[in-house]
């Protein structure tokens, strides 16, 4: 089943994001390589593809996991959590309808 992992950053998270980004992306690339990743990306803090120093306010990952518990465990081990980037992470089932 698909699950949405919706994360909210702490204020001014950009320096922390930069430190943990390589490890964060490596985990997403593993999901992609396994054919389980539907989409992933950050929410820019301003209306721009490249927010620069404004940074990001959170992230969204939609991926396939065997259960809600497995999705939660994966989310809980995100390097951004260890780095202190996220203040809150919500994991919930997702039903893809379109496209």
């Amino acid at each position: 089943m698909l699950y949405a992992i919706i994360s909210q950053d702490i204020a001014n998270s950009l320096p922390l994001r930069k430190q943990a980004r390589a490890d964060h992306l490596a985990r997403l690339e593993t999901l992609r390589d396994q054919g389980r990743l539907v989409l992933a990306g950050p929410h820019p803090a301003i209306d721009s593809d490249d927010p620069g120093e404004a940074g990001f306010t959170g992230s969204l990952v939609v991926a396939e996991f065997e259960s809600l518990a497995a999705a939660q465990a994966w989310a809980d081990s995100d390097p951004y959590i260890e780095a202190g980037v996220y203040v809150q992470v919500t994991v919930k089932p997702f039903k893809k309808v379109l496209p």
Side-chain angles (χ1 to χ4, degrees):
M1 180 167 191
L2 295 178
Y3 294 89
I5 301 169
I6 307 153
S7 307
Q8 183 176 344
D9 284 19
I10 63 167
N12 304 310
S13 64
L14 191 58
L16 297 174
R17 274 181 168 268
K18 287 179 179 179
Q19 290 175 356
R21 187 169 191 265
D23 292 336
H24 172 79
L25 289 178
R27 296 177 75 239
L28 291 168
E29 289 165 352
T30 297
L31 283 179
R32 179 200 61 206
D33 294 347
Q34 294 170 345
R36 297 170 44 204
L37 184 64
V38 174
L39 65 89
H43 301 286
I46 60 174
D47 190 12
S48 172
D49 283 339
D50 182 5
E53 291 304 310
F56 302 93
T57 62
S59 301
L60 171 64
V61 174
V62 177
E64 184 179 346
F65 293 92
E66 61 196 39
S67 66
L68 178 59
Q72 185 70 60
W74 187 89
D76 289 345
S77 64
D78 192 308
Y80 279 177
I81 289 181
E82 185 176 326
V85 172
Y86 295 147
V87 67
Q88 180 179 353
V89 178
T90 302
V91 180
K92 53 187 171 178
F94 179 80
K95 181 179 177 184
K96 183 179 177 185
V97 175
L98 293 171

